[in-house]
Amino acid sequence: MKILIVNPNTTASMTAKIGLAARAVAAQGTEIIAVNPADGPVSIEGYYDEAFSVPGLLREIAKGEQRGVLAHIIACFDDTGLEAARSLATAPVIGIGEAAFHLASMLGHRFSVVTTLSRSIAAIETNLLKYGLISRCASVRAAEVPVLSLEDPHSNASHLISAEIERAKTEDHAEAIVLGCAGMADLAQRLTQQHGLPVIDGVASAVKLAEAMAVLGLQTSKIGAYASPAAKPYLGQFKSDAPS
Ligand code: 5HY
């Protein structure tokens, strides 16, 4: 089976890291296709970046549909463009945030999220409300690390993330931790051992959920919220994106 994983930002090293984390847990026979758009922000830190990442994301989802992938994964923790992607796609579309939240909710009474910057907290809390899991979330904390510092081996990002995990554990009584950035995908195993509680990476979580849905032959429901977009002209630079 083919699974598409889209990093909606345009940093190729993060796409490579995401692909590595995905292939590390993929089942035999699962082909992971990891891509990022050519156009758009190098990192997504807040609503404005998010808005400009969506067109490129949707174009990659459209290509995945043409390639016949059995599931799509959006590898941005804000689940950027999730509903639009589901409207476009027939195969299931899984956001790494939603995937990780659900797994965390099955591992402890309450979980905390540790993300990059404070400016990302509101979008994560909004998603928790939307997914019906806000009551299971003890806190959403930010380690105050820029997304691209996760690509710098000399940064102290992992140390700051670790310190925030310890605070969530001791101050917020979190029983599980969700890593709030796709760029943290390589940290989950070490932080689980270091802190003695489940530390969950959304990339790996989404890959296993995607495989499950593909094996079950599940597809996005097209009779309501995620119905295919109505055919209409789009003018200007989005002319070629118009639904037919
Ligand atoms: C992500 N930004 O997973 C989010 C995380 C964040 O470029 N990839 C990004 O900090 O919002």
Side-chain angles (χ1 to χ4, degrees):
M1 74 173 74
K2 289 189 181 75
I3 294 177
L4 176 74
I5 189 161
V6 186
N7 168 18
N9 73 40
T10 49
T11 296
S13 64
M14 190 173 289
T15 306
K17 180 196 293 185
I18 290 164
L20 212 57
R23 293 182 184 103
V25 298
Q28 198 163 15
T30 296
E31 179 188 352
I32 297 289
I33 303 167
V35 299
N36 61 257
D39 306 318
V42 294
S43 65
I44 297 165
E45 296 170 323
Y47 296 117
Y48 190 82
D49 294 343
E50 194 169 339
F52 280 92
S53 72
V54 173
L57 163 76
L58 293 175
R59 289 170 188 147
E60 295 304 328
I61 298 285
K63 290 180 204 168
E65 285 287 296
Q66 286 159 8
R67 291 182 70 166
V69 301
L70 293 186
H72 306 271
I73 293 170
I74 298 175
C76 177
F77 193 76
D78 305 355
D79 296 342
T80 305
L82 183 60
E83 291 83 0
R86 286 177 175 162
S87 303
L88 170 61
T90 300
V93 184
I94 299 167
I96 65 169
E98 186 174 20
F101 294 152
H102 281 288
L103 295 195
S105 71
M106 293 183 251
L107 297 171
H109 173 59
R110 298 183 80 204
F111 61 86
S112 283
V113 179
V114 175
T115 190
T116 53
L117 297 170
S118 299
R119 66 183 319 154
S120 297
I121 290 176
I124 293 169
E125 288 176 341
T126 300
N127 283 350
L128 283 159
L129 268 171
K130 180 166 60 173
Y131 303 148
L133 288 169
I134 193 78
S135 65
R136 303 295 304 280
C137 184
S139 58
V140 181
R141 286 176 170 268
E144 297 309 343
V145 296
V147 169
L148 293 188
S149 69
L150 294 162
E151 299 307 296
D152 174 2
H154 305 297
S155 85
N156 64 345
S158 60
H159 172 74
L160 294 172
I161 292 162
S162 178
E164 210 59 39
I165 289 173
E166 201 53 33
R167 291 189 193 101
K169 192 178 158 188
T170 56
E171 297 171 22
D172 308 333
H173 310 295
E175 298 171 16
I177 299 291
V178 170
L179 293 176
C181 179
M184 298 178 186
D186 56 339
L187 303 178
Q189 197 168 2
R190 175 169 62 79
L191 292 168
T192 295
Q193 288 154 6
Q194 187 177 337
H195 293 279
L197 83 172
V199 176
I200 298 147
D201 152 49
V203 171
S205 306
V207 168
K208 301 317 280 184
L209 286 173
E211 285 178 336
M213 287 189 173
V215 166
L216 293 170
L218 296 175
Q219 296 190 317
T220 300
S221 173
K222 308 304 283 183
I223 62 167
Y226 304 133
S228 298
K232 68 185 74 172
Y234 283 13
L235 304 184
Q237 62 179 300
F238 296 125
K239 187 178 174 67
S240 60
D241 299 295
S244 50

